[in-house]
Amino acid sequence: MTLTGIYAMNPALFEDVYGPEERAAIEQHVHIRHPLCPGDALTPEHLAEVDVLITGWGAPRLNAALLAAAPTLGLVLYGAGSTRGLVTPDSWAHGVRVTSAGPVIAETVAEFTLAQILYALKHGWRYALGSLRNRAPVPRQPELGTGGSTVGLVSLGAAGRATARLLSRHDVHVQAYDPYASPDMAAELGVRLVPLDELFATSDVVSLHTPLLPDTEGMIGTRFLASMKSDATLINTARGGLIDEPALIEVARRRPDLFFALDVTDPEPPPAGSPLFSLDNLVITPHLAGNLGPERRRLGRAMADELERYVNGRPLRHEVTADGTRFAA
């Protein structure tokens, strides 16, 4: 049986995710009836007789109107991360299966985070910025390296778990704060669950992986930042809004022994003249974690693999369920 499908997403990002090889793999199983369409421009004509929606950033929302126009829709391949803006109660009631490349993005975030953690434990940024600032070599200090250092992960979502797995290959102690993580999950990851205040007070590196929600916005403020142990580093590859920025600036000025590596800020990027750029113990990178440029083809390849599994009746590796969990096939 040949399935019918349509590509619908932000055209500017389409080629990044679904390149020629990825499209060829998808089109072995799906007949594409219409040219690429922006997600917000789909019409009933586009959706009639569509079995598979192939999408990514700029996806349409699976609301009642779209589902009414697509009565045969059975699978959505979402070559991006969070599905919060995609799925709806209507889509679950309709029985549409959704698979997301979020875990693939999490692995890439974890790779970048691991690099930052190991660099922080060697004080790499401090030496690089210090020699640039002083125009002279910076004497080595007694940094810890990975010899029994403690790394604290704030949240064990997909990126946090992926980071924990990578850290398990290194000689570090890993602890985490996540009120939703089970002891069994933590044990499987080799992670010790601790309260957030203990994590900040005892970690040599703290890495944030929490989603930005109303109850997490600004959660990292003066109380936690000021409690960090001497020479500790805070890394944020999650969302800038998790940190109370005025508090961070105040603590960074008062505690030059601390270091802050921010891959995300709020706003992003910071405006010119932001006090963040005046701090000697802080570095900002332009949201490098996650999949950029050719790396995004990993997402398209993952979706092509999911489609092959679907066609052959095998479990999907990255299927999202109505309660937000994933099958682990």
Side-chain angles (χ1 to χ4, degrees), residues 305-324:
D305 180 69
E306 291 289 78
L307 176 61
E308 184 172 359
R309 288 171 171 270
Y310 178 80
V311 168
N312 292 316
R314 297 163 59 198
L316 303 181
R317 295 185 63 203
H318 308 308
E319 185 167 3
V320 182
T321 63
D323 62 1

Side-chain angles (χ1 to χ4, degrees), residues 200-213:
F200 268 85
T202 61
S203 297
D204 297 294
V205 175
V206 175
S207 183
L208 305 185
H209 298 281
T210 305
L212 182 61
L213 303 169

Side-chain angles (χ1 to χ4, degrees), residues 125-138:
W125 278 119
R126 305 185 196 212
Y127 291 129
L129 296 177
S131 62
L132 182 64
R133 186 168 56 250
N134 299 331
R135 299 183 182 276
V138 176

Side-chain angles (χ1 to χ4, degrees), residues 101-167:
V104 182
I105 295 176
E107 293 290 341
T108 311
V109 170
E111 292 169 0
F112 180 83
T113 303
L114 175 68
Q116 291 284 56
I117 290 171
L118 298 180
Y119 203 50
L121 289 172
K122 292 284 191 178
H123 288 180
W125 278 119
R126 305 185 196 212
Y127 291 129
L129 296 177
S131 62
L132 182 64
R133 186 168 56 250
N134 299 331
R135 299 183 182 276
V138 176
R140 285 182 55 192
Q141 301 296 318
E143 63 279 336
L144 289 174
T146 57
S149 300
T150 298
V151 177
L153 306 177
V154 181
S155 183
L156 290 174
R161 294 194 304 274
T163 302
R165 286 191 288 267
L166 293 181
L167 286 168

